[in-house]
Coordinates of all heavy atoms in Angstrom, one line a residue:
M88 N 54.8 102.5 124.8 CA 54.1 101.9 123.7 C 55.2 101.5 122.7 O 56.0 102.2 122.3 CB 53.1 102.9 123.0 CG 52.4 102.3 121.9 SD 51.0 103.4 121.4 CE 49.9 103.2 122.6
V89 N 55.2 100.2 122.2 CA 56.1 99.7 121.3 C 55.2 99.2 120.1 O 54.4 98.3 120.1 CB 56.8 98.5 121.9 CG1 57.7 97.9 120.8 CG2 57.6 98.9 123.1
D90 N 55.5 99.8 118.9 CA 54.8 99.5 117.7 C 53.3 99.4 117.9 O 52.6 98.5 117.4 CB 55.3 98.2 117.1 CG 56.8 98.2 116.7 OD1 57.2 99.3 116.3 OD2 57.5 97.2 116.8
G91 N 52.7 100.4 118.6 CA 51.3 100.5 118.8 C 50.7 99.6 119.9 O 49.6 99.6 120.2
V92 N 51.6 99.0 120.7 CA 51.2 98.1 121.8 C 51.8 98.7 123.1 O 53.1 98.9 123.1 CB 51.6 96.7 121.6 CG1 51.2 95.8 122.8 CG2 51.1 96.1 120.3
E93 N 51.0 99.0 124.1 CA 51.5 99.4 125.3 C 52.0 98.3 126.2 O 51.2 97.3 126.3 CB 50.3 100.2 126.1 CG 50.9 100.8 127.3 CD 50.0 101.9 127.8 OE1 49.2 102.4 127.0 OE2 50.1 102.4 129.0
L94 N 53.2 98.5 126.7 CA 53.8 97.4 127.6 C 53.8 97.8 129.0 O 54.8 98.3 129.5 CB 55.2 97.1 127.0 CG 55.4 96.6 125.6 CD1 56.8 96.6 125.2 CD2 54.7 95.3 125.5
A95 N 52.7 97.7 129.7 CA 52.6 97.9 131.1 C 53.1 99.3 131.5 O 53.8 99.5 132.5 CB 53.2 96.8 131.9
G96 N 52.9 100.3 130.7 CA 53.3 101.7 131.0 C 54.8 101.9 130.8 O 55.3 103.0 131.2
L97 N 55.5 101.0 130.3 CA 56.9 101.1 130.1 C 57.2 101.8 128.8 O 56.6 101.5 127.8 CB 57.7 99.8 130.2 CG 57.5 99.1 131.5 CD1 58.2 97.7 131.4 CD2 58.2 99.9 132.7
S98 N 58.3 102.6 128.6 CA 58.6 103.2 127.4 C 59.6 102.3 126.7 O 60.1 101.3 127.2 CB 59.3 104.5 127.6 OG 60.6 104.3 128.2
R99 N 59.9 102.6 125.4 CA 60.8 101.8 124.6 C 62.1 101.7 125.2 O 62.8 100.7 125.1 CB 60.8 102.3 123.1 CG 61.6 101.5 122.2 CD 61.4 102.0 120.8 NE 61.8 101.0 119.8 CZ 61.0 99.9 119.4 NH1 59.9 99.8 119.9 NH2 61.4 99.2 118.4
Q100 N 62.5 102.8 125.9 CA 63.9 102.9 126.5 C 63.9 101.8 127.7 O 65.0 101.2 127.9 CB 64.3 104.2 127.0 CG 64.5 105.2 125.9 CD 63.3 105.7 125.1 OE1 62.2 105.7 125.7 NE2 63.4 106.1 123.8
E101 N 62.8 101.7 128.4 CA 62.7 100.8 129.5 C 62.6 99.4 129.1 O 62.8 98.4 129.9 CB 61.6 101.2 130.5 CG 61.8 102.6 131.1 CD 60.6 103.1 131.8 OE1 59.5 102.8 131.2 OE2 60.7 103.8 132.8
Y102 N 62.1 99.2 127.9 CA 61.8 97.8 127.4 C 62.5 97.7 126.0 O 61.8 97.4 125.0 CB 60.3 97.7 127.2 CG 59.7 96.4 127.6 CD1 58.8 96.3 128.6 CD2 60.1 95.2 127.0 CE1 58.1 95.1 129.0 CE2 59.6 93.9 127.3 CZ 58.6 93.9 128.3 OH 58.1 92.7 128.6
P103 N 63.8 97.9 125.9 CA 64.5 98.0 124.6 C 64.5 96.6 123.8 O 64.8 96.6 122.7 CB 65.9 98.5 124.9 CG 66.1 97.9 126.3 CD 64.7 98.0 127.0
F104 N 64.4 95.5 124.5 CA 64.6 94.2 123.9 C 63.3 93.7 123.2 O 63.2 92.6 122.6 CB 65.0 93.2 124.9 CG 64.1 93.0 126.1 CD1 63.1 92.2 126.0 CD2 64.4 93.7 127.2 CE1 62.3 92.1 127.1 CE2 63.6 93.6 128.3 CZ 62.5 92.7 128.3
C105 N 62.2 94.5 123.3 CA 61.0 94.1 122.7 C 60.8 94.8 121.3 O 60.8 96.0 121.3 CB 59.9 94.4 123.6 SG 58.2 93.9 123.1
E106 N 60.6 94.1 120.3 CA 60.3 94.6 119.0 C 59.4 93.6 118.2 O 59.3 92.4 118.5 CB 61.5 94.9 118.2 CG 62.4 93.7 117.9 CD 63.6 94.0 117.1 OE1 64.6 94.4 117.7 OE2 63.5 93.9 115.9
T107 N 58.7 94.1 117.3 CA 57.8 93.4 116.4 C 58.6 92.7 115.4 O 59.4 93.3 114.7 CB 56.7 94.2 115.9 OG1 56.0 94.9 116.9 CG2 55.7 93.4 115.0
V108 N 58.4 91.4 115.3 CA 59.2 90.6 114.3 C 58.1 89.9 113.3 O 57.2 89.3 113.9 CB 60.1 89.5 114.9 CG1 60.8 88.7 113.9 CG2 61.1 90.1 115.9
F109 N 58.4 90.2 112.1 CA 57.5 89.6 111.1 C 58.2 88.4 110.5 O 59.3 88.5 109.9 CB 57.1 90.5 110.0 CG 56.3 91.7 110.5 CD1 56.8 92.9 110.9 CD2 55.0 91.5 110.9 CE1 56.1 93.9 111.4 CE2 54.2 92.6 111.5 CZ 54.8 93.8 111.7
P110 N 57.6 87.2 110.5 CA 58.3 86.0 109.9 C 58.4 86.2 108.4 O 57.6 86.8 107.7 CB 57.3 84.8 110.2 CG 56.0 85.5 110.4 CD 56.3 86.9 111.0
V111 N 59.5 85.7 107.9 CA 59.7 85.7 106.4 C 59.3 84.3 105.9 O 59.7 83.3 106.4 CB 61.2 85.9 106.2 CG1 61.5 85.8 104.7 CG2 61.7 87.2 106.8
F112 N 58.4 84.4 105.0 CA 57.9 83.1 104.4 C 58.6 82.9 103.0 O 58.7 83.8 102.2 CB 56.4 83.2 104.1 CG 55.6 83.3 105.4 CD1 55.1 84.6 105.9 CD2 55.4 82.2 106.1 CE1 54.3 84.6 106.9 CE2 54.7 82.3 107.3 CZ 54.1 83.5 107.7
A113 N 59.1 81.7 102.9 CA 59.8 81.3 101.6 C 58.6 81.0 100.6 O 57.7 80.1 100.9 CB 60.7 80.2 101.8
I114 N 58.6 81.6 99.5 CA 57.5 81.3 98.5 C 58.2 80.5 97.5 O 59.2 81.0 96.9 CB 56.9 82.6 98.0 CG1 56.3 83.4 99.1 CG2 55.9 82.3 96.9 CD1 55.8 84.7 98.7
R115 N 57.7 79.3 97.2 CA 58.2 78.5 96.2 C 57.0 77.8 95.6 O 56.0 77.6 96.2 CB 59.2 77.4 96.7 CG 58.5 76.5 97.7 CD 59.5 75.5 98.2 NE 58.9 74.8 99.2 CZ 59.2 73.6 99.6 NH1 60.3 73.1 99.2 NH2 58.5 72.9 100.5
T116 N 57.1 77.5 94.3 CA 56.1 76.9 93.6 C 56.5 75.4 93.3 O 57.5 75.2 92.7 CB 55.8 77.6 92.2 OG1 55.5 79.0 92.6 CG2 54.7 77.0 91.5
V117 N 55.7 74.5 93.8 CA 56.0 73.1 93.5 C 55.1 72.7 92.3 O 54.0 72.9 92.2 CB 55.5 72.3 94.7 CG1 55.7 70.8 94.5 CG2 56.2 72.7 96.0
K118 N 55.8 72.2 91.3 CA 55.1 71.8 90.1 C 55.3 70.2 90.0 O 56.3 69.7 90.2 CB 55.8 72.4 88.9 CG 55.7 73.9 88.8 CD 54.5 74.3 88.1 CE 54.5 75.8 87.9 NZ 53.3 76.3 87.2
L119 N 54.1 69.6 89.8 CA 54.2 68.1 89.5 C 54.2 67.9 88.0 O 53.5 68.5 87.3 CB 52.9 67.5 90.2 CG 52.9 67.6 91.7 CD1 51.6 66.9 92.2 CD2 54.0 66.8 92.4
T120 N 54.8 66.9 87.6 CA 54.8 66.4 86.2 C 53.4 65.8 86.0 O 52.8 65.4 86.9 CB 55.9 65.4 85.9 OG1 55.6 64.2 86.7 CG2 57.3 65.9 86.3
P121 N 53.1 65.8 84.7 CA 51.8 65.1 84.4 C 51.7 63.6 84.9 O 50.7 63.2 85.4 CB 51.7 65.2 82.9 CG 52.5 66.3 82.5 CD 53.6 66.4 83.5
A122 N 52.8 62.9 84.8 CA 52.9 61.5 85.3 C 52.7 61.5 86.9 O 51.9 60.7 87.4 CB 54.2 60.9 85.0
A123 N 53.3 62.5 87.6 CA 53.1 62.5 89.0 C 51.6 62.9 89.3 O 51.1 62.4 90.3 CB 54.0 63.6 89.6
Q124 N 51.0 63.8 88.6 CA 49.6 64.2 88.8 C 48.7 62.9 88.6 O 47.8 62.8 89.5 CB 49.2 65.3 87.9 CG 49.9 66.7 88.2 CD 49.5 67.7 87.2 OE1 48.9 67.4 86.2 NE2 49.9 68.9 87.5
K125 N 48.9 62.2 87.6 CA 48.2 61.0 87.4 C 48.3 60.0 88.5 O 47.3 59.4 88.9 CB 48.5 60.4 86.0 CG 48.0 61.1 84.8 CD 48.4 60.5 83.5 CE 48.0 61.3 82.3 NZ 48.4 60.7 81.0
F126 N 49.6 59.9 88.9 CA 49.8 58.8 90.0 C 49.1 59.3 91.3 O 48.5 58.4 91.9 CB 51.3 58.8 90.3 CG 51.7 58.0 91.4 CD1 51.7 56.6 91.3 CD2 52.0 58.6 92.7 CE1 52.1 55.8 92.4 CE2 52.4 57.8 93.7 CZ 52.4 56.4 93.7
V127 N 49.1 60.5 91.6 CA 48.4 61.0 92.8 C 46.9 60.8 92.8 O 46.4 60.2 93.7 CB 48.8 62.5 93.1 CG1 47.9 63.1 94.2 CG2 50.2 62.7 93.5
L128 N 46.3 61.1 91.6 CA 44.9 60.9 91.4 C 44.6 59.4 91.5 O 43.6 59.0 92.0 CB 44.4 61.5 90.1 CG 44.5 63.0 90.0 CD1 44.1 63.5 88.6 CD2 43.4 63.7 91.1
H129 N 45.4 58.6 90.7 CA 45.1 57.2 90.8 C 45.3 56.5 92.1 O 44.5 55.7 92.5 CB 46.0 56.5 89.7 CG 45.7 55.0 89.5 ND1 44.5 54.6 89.0 CD2 46.3 53.9 89.8 CE1 44.5 53.3 89.0 NE2 45.6 52.8 89.4
W130 N 46.3 57.0 92.9 CA 46.5 56.5 94.2 C 45.3 56.8 95.1 O 44.9 56.0 96.0 CB 47.8 57.0 94.7 CG 48.4 56.2 95.9 CD1 48.3 56.7 97.3 CD2 49.0 55.0 95.9 NE1 48.9 55.7 98.0 CE2 49.3 54.7 97.2 CE3 49.4 54.1 94.9 CZ2 50.0 53.5 97.6 CZ3 50.0 52.9 95.2 CH2 50.3 52.6 96.6
G131 N 44.8 58.0 94.9 CA 43.6 58.3 95.7 C 42.4 57.5 95.4 O 41.7 57.1 96.2
E132 N 42.2 57.1 94.1 CA 41.2 56.1 93.7 C 41.4 54.8 94.3 O 40.4 54.2 94.8 CB 41.1 56.1 92.2 CG 40.6 57.3 91.5 CD 40.8 57.3 90.0 OE1 41.1 56.2 89.5 OE2 40.4 58.3 89.4
M133 N 42.6 54.4 94.3 CA 43.0 53.0 94.8 C 42.8 53.0 96.3 O 42.3 52.1 97.0 CB 44.4 52.6 94.5 CG 44.6 52.3 93.0 SD 46.2 52.0 92.5 CE 47.0 51.2 93.8
G134 N 43.1 54.1 97.0 CA 42.9 54.2 98.5 C 41.4 54.2 98.8 O 41.1 53.5 99.8
Q135 N 40.6 54.7 98.1 CA 39.2 54.6 98.4 C 38.8 53.1 98.2 O 37.9 52.7 99.0 CB 38.4 55.5 97.3 CG 38.3 56.9 97.8 CD 37.5 57.7 96.8 OE1 37.5 57.5 95.6 NE2 36.8 58.7 97.4
A136 N 39.2 52.5 97.2 CA 38.9 51.0 97.0 C 39.5 50.1 98.1 O 38.8 49.1 98.5 CB 39.5 50.5 95.6
W137 N 40.6 50.6 98.8 CA 41.1 49.8 99.9 C 40.4 50.2 101.2 O 40.8 49.7 102.3 CB 42.6 50.1 100.0 CG 43.3 49.6 98.8 CD1 43.0 48.5 98.1 CD2 44.5 50.1 98.4 NE1 44.0 48.3 97.1 CE2 45.0 49.3 97.2 CE3 45.4 51.1 98.7 CZ2 46.1 49.5 96.5 CZ3 46.5 51.4 98.0 CH2 46.9 50.6 97.0
G138 N 39.4 51.2 101.2 CA 38.8 51.5 102.5 C 39.3 52.8 103.2 O 38.9 53.2 104.2
S139 N 40.3 53.4 102.5 CA 40.8 54.6 103.0 C 40.1 55.8 102.4 O 39.3 55.7 101.5 CB 42.3 54.7 102.7 OG 42.8 56.0 103.1
T140 N 40.4 57.0 102.9 CA 39.8 58.2 102.2 C 40.6 58.5 101.0 O 41.8 58.3 101.0 CB 39.7 59.4 103.2 OG1 41.0 59.8 103.5 CG2 38.9 59.1 104.4
G141 N 40.0 59.0 100.0 CA 40.7 59.4 98.8 C 41.8 60.5 99.1 O 42.9 60.4 98.6
T142 N 41.4 61.5 100.0 CA 42.3 62.5 100.3 C 43.5 62.0 101.0 O 44.6 62.4 100.6 CB 41.6 63.7 101.1 OG1 40.5 64.1 100.4 CG2 42.6 64.8 101.4
M143 N 43.4 61.2 101.9 CA 44.5 60.6 102.6 C 45.5 59.9 101.7 O 46.7 60.1 101.8 CB 44.1 59.7 103.8 CG 45.2 59.2 104.6 SD 44.8 58.3 106.1 CE 44.2 56.8 105.4
A144 N 44.9 59.1 100.8 CA 45.7 58.4 99.8 C 46.4 59.4 98.9 O 47.6 59.2 98.5 CB 44.9 57.5 98.9
Q145 N 45.7 60.4 98.5 CA 46.4 61.4 97.6 C 47.5 62.2 98.4 O 48.6 62.4 97.8 CB 45.4 62.5 97.1 CG 44.5 61.9 96.1 CD 43.6 63.0 95.5 OE1 43.3 64.0 96.2 NE2 43.1 62.8 94.3
V146 N 47.3 62.5 99.6 CA 48.4 63.1 100.4 C 49.6 62.2 100.5 O 50.7 62.6 100.4 CB 47.9 63.5 101.9 CG1 49.0 63.8 102.8 CG2 46.8 64.6 101.8
H147 N 49.3 60.9 100.8 CA 50.4 59.9 100.8 C 51.1 59.9 99.6 O 52.4 59.9 99.5 CB 49.8 58.6 101.2 CG 50.7 57.4 101.3 ND1 50.9 56.4 100.3 CD2 51.7 57.1 102.2 CE1 51.8 55.6 100.6 NE2 52.3 56.0 101.8
A148 N 50.5 59.8 98.4 CA 51.1 59.7 97.1 C 51.9 61.0 96.8 O 52.9 61.0 96.3 CB 50.0 59.5 96.0
L149 N 51.3 62.2 97.2 CA 52.0 63.5 97.0 C 53.3 63.5 97.7 O 54.4 63.9 97.2 CB 51.1 64.6 97.3 CG 51.6 66.0 97.1 CD1 51.9 66.2 95.6 CD2 50.6 67.0 97.5
L150 N 53.3 63.1 99.0 CA 54.5 63.1 99.8 C 55.5 62.1 99.2 O 56.7 62.3 99.3 CB 54.2 62.8 101.2 CG 53.4 63.8 102.0 CD1 52.9 63.3 103.3 CD2 54.1 65.1 102.1
F151 N 55.0 61.0 98.6 CA 56.0 60.0 98.1 C 56.7 60.6 96.8 O 57.8 60.3 96.7 CB 55.1 58.8 97.8 CG 56.0 57.6 97.2 CD1 56.8 56.9 98.0 CD2 56.0 57.4 95.9 CE1 57.6 55.9 97.5 CE2 56.8 56.3 95.3 CZ 57.6 55.6 96.2
V152 N 55.9 61.3 96.0 CA 56.6 61.7 94.7 C 57.2 63.1 94.8 O 57.9 63.5 93.8 CB 55.4 61.7 93.6 CG1 55.0 60.4 93.3 CG2 54.4 62.7 93.8
S153 N 57.0 63.8 95.8 CA 57.5 65.2 96.0 C 59.0 65.1 96.2 O 59.4 64.4 97.1 CB 56.8 66.0 97.1 OG 57.4 67.2 97.2
P154 N 59.8 65.9 95.4 CA 61.3 65.9 95.7 C 61.6 66.6 97.0 O 62.8 66.4 97.5 CB 61.8 66.6 94.4 CG 60.8 67.4 94.0 CD 59.4 66.7 94.3
D155 N 60.8 67.5 97.5 CA 61.1 68.3 98.7 C 59.9 68.0 99.7 O 58.8 67.6 99.4 CB 61.1 69.7 98.3 CG 62.2 70.1 97.4 OD1 63.4 69.6 97.6 OD2 62.0 70.9 96.5
A156 N 60.3 68.3 101.0 CA 59.3 68.2 102.0 C 58.2 69.3 101.7 O 58.5 70.4 101.2 CB 59.9 68.5 103.4
L157 N 57.0 69.0 102.0 CA 55.8 69.9 101.8 C 55.2 70.2 103.1 O 55.0 69.2 104.0 CB 54.8 69.3 100.9 CG 55.3 68.9 99.5 CD1 54.3 68.2 98.7 CD2 55.6 70.2 98.7
D158 N 54.8 71.4 103.4 CA 53.9 71.6 104.6 C 52.4 71.4 104.2 O 52.2 71.3 103.0 CB 54.3 73.0 105.2 CG 53.9 74.2 104.3 OD1 53.1 74.0 103.4 OD2 54.5 75.3 104.5
A159 N 51.6 71.5 105.2 CA 50.2 71.3 105.0 C 49.5 72.3 104.1 O 48.7 72.0 103.3 CB 49.5 71.3 106.3
E160 N 50.0 73.5 104.1 CA 49.5 74.6 103.3 C 49.7 74.3 101.8 O 48.9 74.4 100.9 CB 50.0 76.0 103.7 CG 49.3 77.1 103.1 CD 47.9 77.2 103.5 OE1 47.6 76.9 104.7 OE2 47.0 77.6 102.6
E161 N 51.0 73.8 101.5 CA 51.4 73.5 100.1 C 50.6 72.3 99.7 O 50.1 72.3 98.5 CB 52.9 73.2 100.1 CG 53.8 74.4 100.2 CD 55.2 74.1 100.4 OE1 55.5 73.1 101.1 OE2 56.0 74.8 99.8
I162 N 50.4 71.3 100.5 CA 49.6 70.1 100.1 C 48.2 70.5 99.8 O 47.6 70.0 98.8 CB 49.7 69.0 101.3 CG1 51.1 68.6 101.4 CG2 48.7 67.9 101.0 CD1 51.3 67.6 102.6
S163 N 47.7 71.3 100.7 CA 46.3 71.8 100.5 C 46.1 72.5 99.1 O 45.2 72.2 98.4 CB 45.9 72.8 101.6 OG 44.7 73.4 101.4
K164 N 47.1 73.3 98.7 CA 47.0 74.0 97.5 C 47.2 73.1 96.3 O 46.4 73.2 95.3 CB 48.0 75.2 97.4 CG 47.7 76.3 98.3 CD 48.8 77.4 98.3 CE 48.4 78.5 99.3 NZ 49.5 79.5 99.3
L165 N 48.1 72.2 96.4 CA 48.4 71.3 95.3 C 47.2 70.3 95.0 O 46.9 70.0 93.9 CB 49.6 70.4 95.6 CG 50.9 71.2 95.4 CD1 52.1 70.3 96.0 CD2 51.2 71.5 93.9
L166 N 46.5 69.8 96.1 CA 45.5 68.9 96.0 C 44.1 69.6 95.8 O 43.1 68.9 95.6 CB 45.4 67.9 97.2 CG 46.6 67.0 97.3 CD1 46.5 66.1 98.5 CD2 46.9 66.2 96.0
D167 N 44.1 70.9 96.1 CA 42.9 71.7 96.1 C 41.8 71.1 97.1 O 40.6 70.9 96.7 CB 42.3 71.7 94.7 CG 41.2 72.8 94.5 OD1 41.3 73.8 95.3 OD2 40.3 72.7 93.8
V168 N 42.3 70.9 98.3 CA 41.4 70.5 99.4 C 41.6 71.3 100.6 O 42.6 72.1 100.6 CB 41.7 69.0 99.8 CG1 41.3 68.0 98.6 CG2 43.1 68.7 100.2
S169 N 40.8 71.3 101.6 CA 40.8 72.2 102.7 C 42.1 71.8 103.6 O 42.5 70.7 103.6 CB 39.6 72.1 103.5 OG 39.5 70.9 104.2
R170 N 42.5 72.9 104.3 CA 43.7 72.7 105.1 C 43.3 71.7 106.3 O 44.2 71.0 106.7 CB 44.0 74.0 105.7 CG 45.1 74.1 106.8 CD 46.5 73.9 106.2 NE 47.5 74.1 107.1 CZ 47.8 73.4 108.2 NH1 47.0 72.4 108.5 NH2 48.8 73.8 109.0
S171 N 42.1 71.8 106.7 CA 41.7 70.8 107.8 C 41.7 69.4 107.3 O 42.0 68.5 108.1 CB 40.4 71.3 108.4 OG 39.3 71.2 107.5
N172 N 41.3 69.2 106.1 CA 41.2 67.9 105.5 C 42.7 67.3 105.4 O 42.9 66.2 105.7 CB 40.6 67.9 104.2 CG 40.1 66.5 103.8 OD1 40.3 65.5 104.3 ND2 39.3 66.6 102.7
V173 N 43.6 68.2 105.0 CA 45.0 67.8 105.0 C 45.6 67.4 106.3 O 46.3 66.5 106.5 CB 45.9 68.8 104.2 CG1 47.3 68.6 104.4 CG2 45.5 69.0 102.8
S174 N 45.2 68.3 107.3 CA 45.7 68.1 108.7 C 45.2 66.7 109.2 O 46.0 65.9 109.8 CB 45.2 69.2 109.5 OG 45.6 69.0 110.9
T175 N 43.9 66.4 109.0 CA 43.4 65.2 109.4 C 44.0 64.0 108.7 O 44.3 63.0 109.3 CB 41.8 65.1 109.1 OG1 41.2 66.3 109.8 CG2 41.2 63.8 109.5
S176 N 44.2 64.1 107.4 CA 44.8 63.0 106.6 C 46.3 62.8 107.2 O 46.7 61.6 107.3 CB 44.9 63.4 105.2 OG 43.6 63.5 104.7
L177 N 47.0 63.9 107.4 CA 48.4 63.7 107.9 C 48.4 63.1 109.3 O 49.3 62.2 109.5 CB 49.1 65.1 108.0 CG 49.5 65.7 106.6 CD1 50.0 67.1 106.9 CD2 50.6 65.0 105.9
R178 N 47.4 63.4 110.1 CA 47.4 62.8 111.4 C 47.1 61.3 111.3 O 47.7 60.5 112.0 CB 46.3 63.5 112.3 CG 46.3 63.1 113.7 CD 45.4 63.9 114.7 NE 45.1 65.2 114.2 CZ 43.9 65.6 113.7 NH1 42.9 64.7 113.6 NH2 43.7 66.8 113.3
E179 N 46.2 60.9 110.4 CA 45.9 59.5 110.2 C 47.1 58.8 109.6 O 47.3 57.6 110.0 CB 44.7 59.4 109.3 CG 43.4 59.8 109.9 CD 42.2 59.6 109.0 OE1 42.1 58.6 108.3 OE2 41.3 60.3 109.1
L180 N 47.8 59.5 108.8 CA 49.0 58.7 108.1 C 50.1 58.4 109.1 O 50.8 57.4 109.0 CB 49.5 59.5 107.0 CG 48.8 59.5 105.7 CD1 49.3 60.6 104.7 CD2 48.8 58.1 105.1
I181 N 50.3 59.3 110.1 CA 51.4 59.1 111.1 C 50.9 58.2 112.3 O 51.8 57.8 113.1 CB 52.0 60.4 111.6 CG1 51.0 61.2 112.4 CG2 52.6 61.1 110.4 CD1 51.6 62.4 113.0
T182 N 49.7 57.8 112.4 CA 49.2 57.0 113.5 C 49.0 55.6 113.1 O 49.0 55.3 112.0 CB 48.0 57.4 114.2 OG1 46.9 57.6 113.2 CG2 48.1 58.8 114.8

């Protein structure tokens, strides 16, 4: 048993290379300036007028103004939209 998981009846000595690894998550807070926030919101409105979804346009604007790369979870939190909506928007943007 290794960390509460039985490995086909083998002991830790017989299976020494197996251990539980917990990923380390970097926690950072992305802050947008008021001008960047207005830009993202306005770009979303313009995207809707052009026939796109507002969320997709906001994701596009956010990626444009962000000084660092953002993952989908960060985008979801910044725009206050669901993770699945962000995922769909990102997929549409790259196709």
Side-chain angles (χ1 to χ4, degrees):
M88 184 171 284
V89 176
D90 296 330
V92 178
E93 185 159 342
L94 299 172
L97 300 175
S98 69
R99 189 171 196 78
Q100 290 76 25
E101 296 167 325
Y102 220 121
F104 55 86
C105 183
E106 64 181 83
T107 303
V108 178
F109 297 100
V111 177
F112 294 102
I114 299 174
R115 62 181 175 162
T116 304
V117 177
K118 296 272 186 178
L119 293 178
T120 65
Q124 290 175 350
K125 287 181 183 179
F126 174 77
V127 169
L128 290 174
H129 185 64
W130 197 256
E132 292 169 3
M133 290 173 39
Q135 283 182 320
W137 295 331
S139 175
T140 66
T142 302
M143 185 171 70
Q145 285 183 338
V146 168
H147 180 251
L149 182 60
L150 292 172
F151 183 76
V152 299
S153 177
D155 297 320
L157 300 172
D158 63 22
E160 193 65 34
E161 291 170 317
I162 295 169
S163 174
K164 288 178 183 174
L165 285 168
L166 297 180
D167 195 29
V168 296
S169 71
R170 173 72 169 71
S171 62
N172 201 351
V173 170
S174 181
T175 301
S176 296
L177 289 170
R178 191 174 331 112
E179 288 182 34
L180 282 170
I181 62 173
T182 56

